[in-house]
Amino acid sequence: MKKITYFYIICVLIFLTESHVCHSIRCNPQDKKVLLQIKESFGNAYHFASWDPDTDCCYWYIVKCDRKTNRISQFNLFTADISGQIPEIIGDLPYLESVTFHKIANLTGTIPRSITKLTKLTSLTISWTNVSGPIPSFLGELKNLTFLDLSFNNFSGSIPPSLAELRNLGGLRLDRNKLSGSIPDSFGNLTPSLTYLWLSHNQLSGTIPRGWGELPFVSIDLQRNRLEGDISFLFGKNKSIQVADFSRNLLQFDFSNLQFPDDLGTLDLNHNKIYGSLPEDLVNLDRLFLNVSYNRLCGKIPVGGQLQELDYTSYFHNRCLCGAPLPDCK
Ligand SMILES: *[C@@H]1O[C@H](CO)[C@@H](O)[C@H](O)[C@H]1NC(C)=O
Ligand SMILES: *[C@@H]1O[C@H](CO)[C@@H](O)[C@H](O)[C@H]1NC(C)=O
Ligand SMILES: *[C@@H]1O[C@H](CO)[C@@H](O)[C@H](O)[C@H]1NC(C)=O
Ligand SMILES: *[C@@H]1O[C@H](CO)[C@@H](O)[C@H](O)[C@H]1NC(C)=O
Ligand SMILES: *[C@@H]1O[C@H](CO)[C@@H](O)[C@H](O)[C@H]1NC(C)=O
Ligand SMILES: *[C@@H]1O[C@H](CO)[C@@H](O)[C@H](O)[C@H]1NC(C)=O
């Protein structure tokens, strides 16, 4: 009895503020129709068992309705044992703000153009799938995106310059694909809102855009590519960078006189062609993890900060680095 009374009271309260919630079906009929077509496109897989046409689609798994509009605003499909392609009809859920396809090994094909109809989309994740083809240039039309994650897929070709048109982006992940070619020139003018950039584990070549020296990156991961040239302009006292992983590239520059922001926590440069000596400023960093192994560095490791706390493997395989934790200089 008590429970029923509470429910009644809560219903009345909700009714007064939002109406309809307790009395009618929230699901928009057009959205339901589209969702059932999506289910069908995946062969009515068991993963969609809760998508019963006789029930309110706002209570189905995988999707969420917006509290105000009752339109489908989120579609988050992950760790699913389903096969197929990203259904074109997903573009007919115009209120979607967030779309995720994650850990679906048998999701194949390409990203459909219809996705550009989702003008409210702020977050798009397609990761750990077998979606392939070039990263489509039309993704640059999704101007409201704040987060784009296309990591761990089978994308090939070069990075489309149009991604630099996403001026609201805070994070961009294209890591662990088969991307090649150089980083587009347009990326020199990425939006200053972009603080996380991960392009690691691809086959990117060429140099890093000069414009990155002016951008307030917090975390950059470009490890395991074929990048060459100088990255020293990314560092300096007044930069915001905290994590920088450029290991396993072909970078070649003089390390000797660089300065770093106090908050730099990770600097991994192993397996490059970096020369000169270790900058004295490294002793001022309190939380530093450093790995400069397998380069062409020389001279005495400066004494102080974290530099003697680090394992010798952070420094080994250089031309002539010496001093703790490596053997003494001669
Ligand atoms: C993917 O498809 C293959 C062949 O169609 C099947 O053997 C396998 O179990 C599927 N794997 C997953 C994770 O869905
Ligand atoms: C892509 O498919 C292959 C088999 O065809 C599978 O081994 C691999 O794990 C899949 N990739 C992902 C990220 O699921
Ligand atoms: C971004 O979303 C807002 C509503 O959330 C919408 O009014 C606007 O048209 C969208 N912007 C673009 C460029 O599509
Ligand atoms: C991954 O892409 C390669 C081409 O780069 C293609 O040959 C292969 O079939 C793709 N794998 C899947 C599972 O789509
Ligand atoms: C860093 O300081 C230099 C000179 O002091 C200035 O030219 C540069 O614009 C500053 N960079 C940032 C990102 O604030
Ligand atoms: C530094 O990188 C090298 C090369 O990848 C690796 O062998 C070594 O274990 C790393 N050292 C530390 C402390 O991570």
Side-chain angles (χ1 to χ4, degrees):
M1 271 316 277
K2 222 172 182 182
K3 261 188 191 154
I4 289 167
T5 313
Y6 276 135
F7 180 72
Y8 179 74
I9 291 170
I10 286 165
C11 261
V12 167
L13 286 177
I14 292 172
F15 182 78
L16 288 174
T17 53
E18 273 185 63
S19 80
H20 299 318
V21 172
C22 296
H23 298 273
S24 56
I25 286 175
R26 294 173 59 200
C27 176
N28 177 283
Q30 182 55 31
D31 286 352
K32 180 186 266 186
K33 209 170 113 194
V34 171
L35 290 173
L36 290 171
Q37 280 175 268
I38 290 175
K39 175 179 176 179
E40 201 185 335
S41 82
F42 287 116
N44 294 313
Y46 179 73
H47 203 80
F48 298 92
S50 73
W51 290 20
D52 174 351
D54 295 331
T55 59
D56 187 339
C57 74
C58 286
Y59 301 99
W60 292 356
Y61 291 162
I62 303 162
V63 291
K64 278 202 172 72
C65 288
D66 180 80
R67 283 169 47 105
K68 283 208 188 92
T69 62
N70 286 335
R71 301 299 300 259
I72 298 291
S73 61
Q74 294 191 32
F75 180 100
N76 298 312
L77 183 56
F78 49 86
T79 339
D81 190 3
I82 58 173
S83 300
Q85 305 201 357
I86 298 174
E88 218 171 283
I89 191 125
I90 199 165
D92 291 342
L93 293 170
Y95 286 73
L96 277 177
E97 290 167 18
S98 164
V99 169
T100 305
F101 291 91
H102 177 66
K103 287 213 169 169
I104 310 171
N106 284 343
L107 188 72
T108 54
T110 56
I111 301 180
R113 194 177 218 298
S114 61
I115 207 146
T116 58
K117 291 198 272 177
L118 304 177
T119 54
K120 291 187 194 305
L121 208 57
T122 56
S123 172
L124 175 60
T125 297
I126 301 168
S127 61
W128 294 82
T129 77
N130 264 304
V131 173
S132 61
I135 292 174
S137 186
F138 56 68
L139 291 184
E141 295 170 27
L142 290 169
K143 302 278 191 252
N144 274 337
L145 280 184
T146 57
F147 183 66
L148 176 60
D149 180 355
L150 302 177
S151 62
F152 287 89
N153 295 295
N154 200 17
F155 288 114
S156 53
S158 51
I159 298 174
S162 64
L163 296 188
E165 292 162 23
L166 299 171
R167 304 311 286 176
N168 292 308
L169 222 47
L172 176 61
R173 294 193 59 170
L174 307 177
D175 49 303
R176 304 225 184 208
N177 282 288
K178 295 175 186 158
L179 300 173
S180 56
S182 52
I183 296 169
D185 288 345
S186 64
F187 269 44
N189 182 28
L190 283 168
T191 170
S193 61
L194 191 85
T195 50
Y196 294 82
L197 179 64
W198 295 325
L199 307 176
S200 73
H201 298 82
N202 281 294
Q203 293 146 29
L204 300 171
S205 54
T207 57
I208 306 255
R210 196 75 208 185
W212 286 9
E214 314 305 318
L215 290 172
F217 291 118
V218 172
S219 177
I220 294 195
D221 187 353
L222 291 181
Q223 65 173 296
R224 291 180 197 252
N225 280 289
R226 295 174 190 156
L227 299 165
E228 36 187 271
D230 190 359
I231 59 164
S232 58
F233 52 84
L234 294 178
F235 303 103
K237 271 286 161 245
N238 61 357
K239 297 292 201 290
S240 44
I241 199 147
Q242 294 175 14
V243 176
D245 193 338
F246 287 89
S247 61
R248 294 180 192 261
N249 278 288
L250 304 165
L251 301 172
Q252 195 164 16
F253 60 93
D254 185 352
F255 201 35
S256 311
N257 294 312
L258 297 196
Q259 293 202 313
F260 305 94
D262 292 342
D263 286 340
L264 185 65
T266 297
L267 181 58
D268 199 338
L269 300 171
N270 82 72
H271 284 276
N272 279 287
K273 300 176 180 173
I274 300 164
Y275 56 90
S277 57
L278 285 187
E280 194 62 42
D281 192 43
L282 289 171
V283 305
N284 298 320
L285 306 178
D286 298 332
R287 304 187 290 118
L288 181 67
F289 169 80
L290 176 75
N291 194 335
V292 293
S293 64
Y294 295 90
N295 277 290
R296 297 174 180 174
L297 295 163
C298 229
K300 188 172 191 300
I301 296 172
V303 177
Q306 300 300 303
L307 296 187
Q308 276 64 47
E309 313 299 320
L310 292 162
D311 194 70
Y312 80 99
T313 62
S314 281
Y315 303 103
F316 70 170
H317 292 280
N318 271 287
R319 190 161 281 166
C320 49
L321 274 184
C322 58
L326 293 178
D328 288 347
C329 303
K330 293 198 184 88

